[in-house]
Amino acid sequence: MGVVEKIQEIEREMARTQKNKATEYHIGLLKAKLAKLRQQLLEPTGKGGAKGEGFDVMKSGDARVAMVGFPSVGKSTLLSSLTKTHSEAAGYEFTTLTWIPGVIEHEGAKIQLLDLPGIIEGAAQGKGRGRQVIAVAKTADLVLMMLDAGKSDQQRALLERELDSVGIRLNKKKPQIYVQIKKGGGVRFTHTVPLTHVNEKLIMHVLHEYKLFNADVVFREDATIDEFIDVLQGNRVYIPCLYVYNKVDCICIEEVDRLARLPHHVVISCEMNLNLDYLVDVIWDYLALVRVYTKKPGNQPDLGPEDGIILRRGATIEHCCHALHRTLAAQFRYAIVWGTSPKFSPQRVGIKHLLDHEDVVQIVKK
């Protein structure tokens, strides 16, 4: 029996197993086996067979945004509308057969936007070049899930299931679970909060399934068994996702209003150029980027459209030093900051000072 058949057999067994207290250990073991098989499917260990053709996508710009979705939802049209890159769009499916990169220029940042081929159901098992598409999506800073507003919400559930099955967790944070493998001493399980989804017996069963008999396990939040398996796998990625509903000009205004009010949702129309500017603003916000200007002593700051340094939200003066030159942090003495981050402007600050968007920084070396 092949890996795909084993996965299907476990999924059928999970579907027909009633979920209650008596079966939670059995279901937990099935989930652990399923995660191992899926990882084996995506990362085969055998040396035989020809290597499949992948997408060698060079990362460029200050951030990467990957568009995923079913065929003919408007990914290519959106790429052509937001960037200077032309992506072939037509009325038939699978117009795009490989990745096409474009660049969104916003607030002085260059954001790489990838138009990926359409995903079909079963992409996680390799159908329709699904593995290559999903592998590129795992390297993105933000996933744009393109959906057709005229179709049912089932399309979103199918895409989420395909991405979830290969270890992409959308709009979720990494669970606060600590696992340290040891050479001996058995398993020591502790938790700092009350647990309602798992217990020590279930954790032991899953660890034994992974052939881990000596480890320290600490739960710092009330996590589920799925989140614990994610930590054991160690290859999960947690990416923010924006659900973009295209073709809203084809539905009623009440449905547009309902979709627009849902969390992480944006409604647009590429054909009529509706709400695209707002979409770019939301992308900037989800990428958590800030733009910081620099100033030389005795000179005016450089505030041109091409000036400034793009950093992540929560960046400090130290991150700014590393962005300017790799040796600047070692020579740092102090910095003077103008803007909204200091208590008063200007203010002399240290290397751990947090920066805000459009701050002006002057760095003084030793």
Side-chain angles (χ1 to χ4, degrees), residues 164-225:
D164 189 79
S165 64
V166 294
I168 298 178
R169 302 293 181 257
L170 301 177
N171 294 326
K172 293 181 180 178
K173 292 184 178 180
K174 191 174 182 180
Q176 297 296 310
I177 303 173
Y178 170 82
V179 178
Q180 178 65 46
I181 309 301
K182 303 185 298 183
K183 293 184 178 180
V187 175
R188 187 173 62 180
F189 174 71
T190 56
H191 53 91
T192 59
V193 295
L195 300 180
T196 59
H197 304 291
V198 299
N199 54 36
E200 186 172 356
K201 182 180 176 182
L202 180 56
I203 295 299
M204 294 294 183
H205 276 77
V206 174
L207 286 173
H208 291 169
E209 175 64 29
Y210 279 86
K211 295 181 172 56
L212 298 175
F213 305 101
N214 302 285
D216 288 334
V217 180
V218 182
F219 273 62
R220 295 192 174 97
E221 66 174 76
D222 186 17
T224 63
I225 190 63

Side-chain angles (χ1 to χ4, degrees), residues 120-173:
I120 62 174
E121 192 173 357
Q125 281 76 43
K127 292 183 180 179
R129 307 191 75 181
R131 286 190 211 168
Q132 294 96 321
V133 173
I134 293 172
V136 174
K138 292 181 80 168
T139 66
D141 301 298
L142 173 67
V143 170
L144 278 190
M145 187 178 290
M146 290 288 292
L147 303 165
D148 191 333
K151 296 182 180 179
S152 67
D153 291 337
Q154 187 67 19
Q155 55 178 337
R156 171 183 165 181
L158 289 172
L159 283 171
E160 286 179 336
R161 188 172 64 192
E162 294 294 334
L163 296 177
D164 189 79
S165 64
V166 294
I168 298 178
R169 302 293 181 257
L170 301 177
N171 294 326
K172 293 181 180 178
K173 292 184 178 180

Side-chain angles (χ1 to χ4, degrees), residues 277-327:
D277 292 339
Y278 175 72
L279 174 61
V280 174
D281 291 335
V282 176
I283 289 174
W284 170 270
D285 187 54
Y286 270 63
L287 289 173
L289 299 176
V290 294
R291 185 183 186 187
V292 177
Y293 300 100
T294 57
K295 177 183 179 302
K296 294 180 180 179
N299 296 339
Q300 293 294 321
D302 299 322
L303 302 176
E306 300 297 326
D307 297 319
I309 304 169
I310 304 299
L311 303 170
R312 296 287 175 176
R313 191 179 301 153
T316 62
I317 296 290
E318 185 176 8
H319 294 99
C320 183
C321 292
H322 288 307
L324 289 170
H325 196 275
R326 63 181 181 274
T327 63

